[in-house]
Amino acid sequence: MTAPLPELPHVLTLGLPRLTAGFETAERLDRRAHLAVHGTAPRLTEDELTRLAEAVALRGRGGAGFPFARKLRATGTAARRRGERPAVVVNGCEGEPACRKDAVLLRRAPHLVLDGALLAAEALGAASLVVGVTRPAAEASVREALAERGLTDRRGRALRARVVRVPERMVSGESSALLRALGGGPALPPGRRARASETGLGGLPTLLSNTETYAQLALAARLGAPGYAATGTPDEPGTLLLTVSGAVPWPRVVEVPGGAALSYVLAQCGAEPAPEGVLVGGYHGAWLDAAATAGAVLSRDALAARGASLGAGAVLPLPATTCPLGEAVRVAHWLAAESAGQCGPCRTGLPALAGALADVVAGGGRGALEAVREAAGAVRGRGACGHPDGAARFALSALAAFTDDLAAHVLGGGCGRGTAGVLPLPGPGGAAAGGGGGGGERLAVDWTLCEGHGLCAGLLPELVRMGADGFPSLADAGVPDHLRSRVRRAVRRCPALALRLEGDR
């Protein structure tokens, strides 16, 4: 049994609450309630804050897991060298359909996030604080929290603070894309790699980290390193926030001590005792098979030993009733459509990867399997951002985790199971849900008219490719908003009038 992933899921706390403290009495902790639960945050110098982050081994909780202390030190050093006041940016853009932990923090505990960001801003002597979000409710909550603190973006203030909403896309949360959007540009990677600590918001040295990272920093400052380490593991103290969805009765955001057994967390969320497999880290993450899931613990080192990582904190078990490779195909098509469309590895490489994976499931044999590996190798390390790498990791880990199903599709007539659509993908209006292939509109072909011209594949490689029979093959995905105008152009230009746009818009 599965349920759609709501924008604000219920919260489950395993152990003593930290990030989720006070949630049992208030839907949203305003400034007064926040202080009653957490108390006043201390004031720390840059050196004190850096040493604290090192002592609690604080790493980014948005995906890459970069050590926070190194970011903090690098930003301060660059600012002093250049004689400029830096900026502090909170990345609250959860572009993955399976992630909700940051949304929960921004909507229910916004002051905890702001505490951490303001600690860093004061320690660095920052001139500006910006919170980037993608959803209207999160924007409203942060805007209200800033007002409760008397923080504004007016000129002349010692610290100018604002919240900015960017398009709800996976690529919007990529650090360079977010900085570009906050500066007034498009929410797309600029095509060149640069450290935010050197050249970030408006060209200034910028401390950029994820929502949960700042909330964890605020807790560590109040508890001190020994108090913070009272839970978790010696190497990775503290708690974690996870979004658990997929094959569970009710999706939840879960706070759990670091080092907890993955099987225990899944059991508390109502998952089957022996899931077919579990996706850890979100759609840029990796799959664990049933055996690996049974022995996995939620720590960075333990998961890395199994080829996985916590990534964006999404955990998605699969039931035995759905084809895991079919589920992977749906997500691979979505990842291809989420491309920024600015470089070849994304614009053409990811559709080729998704199409080859679909060919494997359709019984394409060893040739299709080899095509998946070739496509993944062709995109890794070659993109303007990390999106191609994440998509390749996702696809290759599915092949490694579901070997029995892979053999059934490659060597036989398939695994005998349909694809139930358990993994959440955006539905009409942008809501994430299981069971759908994407948005409210989909491409379709009238095969009585199609003559295989291939113009559609050239205009829209993210959603259409030419099959081995010389006719177009459509992605198992809905039409995302950012591709809508190009889709309509492709429909208009079809020489045989065979390409159509169908759906509820």
Side-chain angles (χ1 to χ4, degrees):
M1 177 182 178
T2 63
L5 178 58
E7 185 173 328
L8 192 67
H10 291 296
V11 173
L12 173 65
T13 304
L14 302 177
L16 294 176
R18 286 191 171 182
L19 296 167
T20 59
F23 282 16
E24 71 281 359
T25 59
E27 186 64 24
R28 178 186 180 275
L29 298 175
D30 61 15
R31 179 71 170 146
R32 179 177 296 180
H34 166 73
L35 291 173
V37 171
H38 293 286
T40 303
R43 301 179 68 178
L44 299 174
T45 66
E46 180 185 333
D47 185 58
E48 289 171 334
L49 197 61
T50 302
R51 285 190 278 111
L52 174 66
E54 288 176 331
V56 300
L58 181 60
R59 287 177 173 261
R61 303 297 178 92
F66 195 82
F68 184 81
R70 287 172 58 184
K71 282 187 178 182
L72 184 64
R73 185 181 292 112
T75 304
T77 299
R80 286 187 293 273
R81 184 179 68 249
R82 293 166 51 177
E84 296 175 322
R85 295 178 66 191
V88 172
V89 172
V90 180
N91 187 347
C93 304
E94 283 186 304
E96 289 207 32
C99 295
R100 291 292 186 276
K101 65 183 182 68
D102 289 350
V104 164
L105 284 175
L106 291 172
R107 289 182 59 177
R108 300 196 62 183
H111 287 284
L112 193 61
V113 179
L114 290 179
D115 275 350
L118 290 168
L119 275 168
E122 184 174 4
L124 291 168
S128 60
L129 165 64
V130 185
V131 183
V133 300
T134 57
R135 300 184 181 108
E139 179 187 17
S141 178
V142 175
R143 195 177 300 282
E144 184 177 351
L146 291 174
E148 289 169 353
R149 290 173 177 260
L151 294 171
T152 72
D153 194 31
R154 293 177 183 170
R155 294 180 180 272
R157 302 296 296 264
L159 177 71
R160 298 178 64 177
R162 60 193 171 102
V163 57
V164 177
R165 183 151 62 96
V166 301
E168 190 172 347
R169 292 188 56 194
M170 190 170 193
V171 73
S172 296
E174 197 273 335
S175 58
S176 64
L178 175 60
L179 290 172
R180 195 177 179 191
L182 297 182
L188 298 171
R192 53 182 174 79
R193 296 178 185 262
R195 289 190 179 95
S197 59
E198 291 285 343
T199 307
L201 184 64
L204 295 172
T206 300
L207 177 67
L208 187 155
S209 203
N210 160 265
T211 295
E212 185 192 343
T213 313
Y214 285 111
Q216 294 283 4
L217 182 68
L219 288 175
R222 286 178 168 87
L223 296 171
Y228 189 85
T231 190
T233 69
D235 293 333
E236 300 178 43
T239 63
L240 309 167
L241 274 188
L242 307 171
T243 309
V244 182
S245 63
V248 293
W250 300 105
R252 296 178 184 274
V253 167
V254 184
E255 183 176 16
V256 60
L262 176 58
S263 58
Y264 169 72
V265 175
L266 293 175
Q268 295 302 304
C269 292
E272 297 175 359
E276 177 80 4
V278 178
L279 179 62
V280 179
Y283 294 162
H284 277 177
W287 290 96
L288 298 177
D289 62 21
T293 299
V297 297
L298 295 168
S299 76
R300 184 176 61 254
D301 292 341
L303 288 173
R306 298 176 181 274
S309 71
L310 283 171
V315 176
L316 301 107
L318 282 184
T321 54
T322 189
C323 172
L325 294 177
E327 295 284 349
V329 167
R330 293 176 60 247
V331 174
H333 279 308
W334 180 81
L335 290 170
E338 278 296 295
S339 160
Q342 297 185 134
C343 62
C346 253
R347 181 169 167 78
T348 61
L350 294 189
L353 175 62
L357 191 60
D359 289 344
V360 169
V361 175
R366 295 181 184 274
L369 178 59
E370 187 58 32
V372 173
R373 295 182 173 132
E374 288 180 359
V379 301
R380 282 184 298 184
R382 297 179 57 215
C385 67
H387 184 53
D389 294 352
R393 179 168 50 249
F394 169 85
L396 291 177
S397 74
L399 301 183
F402 304 113
T403 53
D404 289 345
D405 295 274
L406 181 62
H409 284 283
V410 172
L411 303 176
C415 67
R417 292 170 291 176
T419 301
V422 174
L423 301 182
L425 289 175
E441 290 181 307
R442 303 175 71 87
L443 278 174
V445 173
D446 184 338
W447 298 111
T448 65
L449 298 176
C450 181
E451 297 175 359
H453 292 95
L455 182 62
C456 53
L459 293 171
L460 204 63
E462 297 91 340
L463 295 174
V464 185
R465 69 188 183 104
M466 297 307 291
D469 60 358
F471 286 89
S473 175
L474 305 184
D476 182 19
V479 175
D481 287 340
H482 67 278
L483 292 181
R484 197 167 305 281
S485 61
R486 286 174 50 204
V487 166
R488 288 174 176 160
R489 183 166 67 250
V491 169
R492 289 195 303 268
R493 294 183 62 182
C494 176
L497 303 179
L499 190 65
R500 297 177 179 177
L501 188 58
E502 298 179 347
D504 57 8
R505 292 197 181 189

